[in-house]
Amino acid sequence: MKQRTEQRTGLLSGFAAYGVWGLVPLFWPLLKPSGAVEILAHRMVWSLVVVGIGLLALRRWSWIRELLRQPRKLALTALAASVITVNWGLYIWSVNSGHVVEASLGYFINPLVIIAIGVLVLGERLRRAQWAAVGITVVAVLVLAIGAGRPPWISLALAFSFATYGLIKKKLGMGGLESLAAETAVLFLPALGYLLWLGAQGRSTFSAYGTGHTALLAATGLVTAIPLVCFGAAAIRVPLSTLGMLQYMAPVFQFLLGILYFHEAMPPERWAGFSLVWAALTLLTWDALRAARRSRVRLDVTPLGTPAPAREPA
């Protein structure tokens, strides 16, 4: 009973995390007339405030001393902060500039970019289906580039920056709240300095458009931290295969918002490119589920080849 409750909690947390990430394109336009860089700076500052309150409530501070004693981890944290700055800033600009559909493509192809990085950087070996999925994605990018007359640079930059960020986070091995606190701490002073400079220049929108606008800018910290906390709760309660399936919720929601709410154009060549990407993801998901099933079968068989003792139902 307890295990079922934990799984239910994990699923609900996963839906909440990816649901927020999928619906966040509705939030950034509310912050206009603030520019993308100003919104990004507020996101950095208020995220640290929110995460700091969370860590204070949980009394989780011992990791700070350990981090300060490890120059390599500090360097990786600074690098992660730089990469996520690019990702956050580009995404905010994309949404507020009418490129929601192209931004969603970045998160559709992100799992495939992670696979490519695994081969190029970590020397991982791919199965045939994975190679096929990567190949289909390359064709999709070519179709989109030819149709639009330019490469889908927003999608590629978002996908590669987030995949690189994930690689760095894997090497860091820190918890969600801790890593976000460390990264936003690195970004805090430059972001605060930029906001103070904007204020001194008379170009800040923080207090120029009423308390509602001020509250929305401050809420960027909650919009950043809440889905991350939910994701952390899901990650420890549901299988990775389930989490991998849930991750497609965010780009699906973003894609639908781009078409149905923001009324972005979808010419035939764009549909063709997206269809190829979805075919690649379907192939990748099928291969991942098959590999996971085979692994479970191997675990359920003893070295002598006889079935392992039956387990009680979960």
Side-chain angles (χ1 to χ4, degrees), residues 147-166:
R150 61 171 179 82
W153 67 270
I154 294 174
S155 308
L156 294 172
L158 286 172
F160 275 94
S161 60
F162 200 70
T164 303
Y165 177 68

Side-chain angles (χ1 to χ4, degrees), residues 81-100:
S82 301
V83 173
I84 202 60
T85 298
V86 172
N87 184 273
W88 284 356
L90 180 57
Y91 187 78
I92 293 168
W93 176 85
S94 301
V95 171
N96 285 358
S97 301
H99 298 286
V100 177

Side-chain angles (χ1 to χ4, degrees), residues 165-204:
Y165 177 68
L167 178 65
I168 298 168
K169 295 269 280 189
K170 183 177 180 181
K171 291 183 178 293
L172 273 170
M174 294 174 64
L177 276 178
E178 290 86 350
S179 61
L180 182 61
E183 290 154 20
T184 50
V186 170
L187 301 169
F188 180 81
L189 288 179
L192 183 61
Y194 176 74
L195 293 176
L196 293 174
W197 177 80
L198 273 184
Q201 296 289 313
R203 295 162 54 192
S204 172

Side-chain angles (χ1 to χ4, degrees), residues 5-15 230 233-235 237-238 246:
T5 302
E6 286 287 295
Q7 288 180 344
R8 191 179 298 113
T9 301
L11 276 175
L12 291 174
S13 299
F15 278 118
C230 292
R237 289 178 172 88
V238 299
L246 288 176

Side-chain angles (χ1 to χ4, degrees), residues 56-176:
L56 186 64
L58 296 172
R59 298 182 180 179
R60 281 159 55 176
W61 300 107
S62 59
W63 60 273
I64 297 177
R65 188 175 300 173
E66 295 176 12
L67 179 62
L68 293 175
R69 291 174 179 172
Q70 303 179 63
R72 181 176 175 275
K73 267 199 169 185
L74 278 174
L76 285 174
T77 300
L79 182 58
S82 301
V83 173
I84 202 60
T85 298
V86 172
N87 184 273
W88 284 356
L90 180 57
Y91 187 78
I92 293 168
W93 176 85
S94 301
V95 171
N96 285 358
S97 301
H99 298 286
V100 177
V101 170
E102 191 170 349
S104 75
L105 178 63
Y107 293 102
F108 274 124
I109 66 175
N110 180 65
L112 297 149
V113 171
I114 290 173
I115 288 175
I117 288 179
V119 173
L120 298 173
V121 178
L122 303 178
E124 295 178 355
R125 298 181 64 182
L126 299 186
R127 297 182 291 273
R128 289 181 182 178
Q130 292 174 314
W131 275 117
V134 171
I136 293 171
T137 305
V138 172
V139 174
V141 170
L142 290 174
V143 169
L144 290 166
I146 293 169
R150 61 171 179 82
W153 67 270
I154 294 174
S155 308
L156 294 172
L158 286 172
F160 275 94
S161 60
F162 200 70
T164 303
Y165 177 68
L167 178 65
I168 298 168
K169 295 269 280 189
K170 183 177 180 181
K171 291 183 178 293
L172 273 170
M174 294 174 64

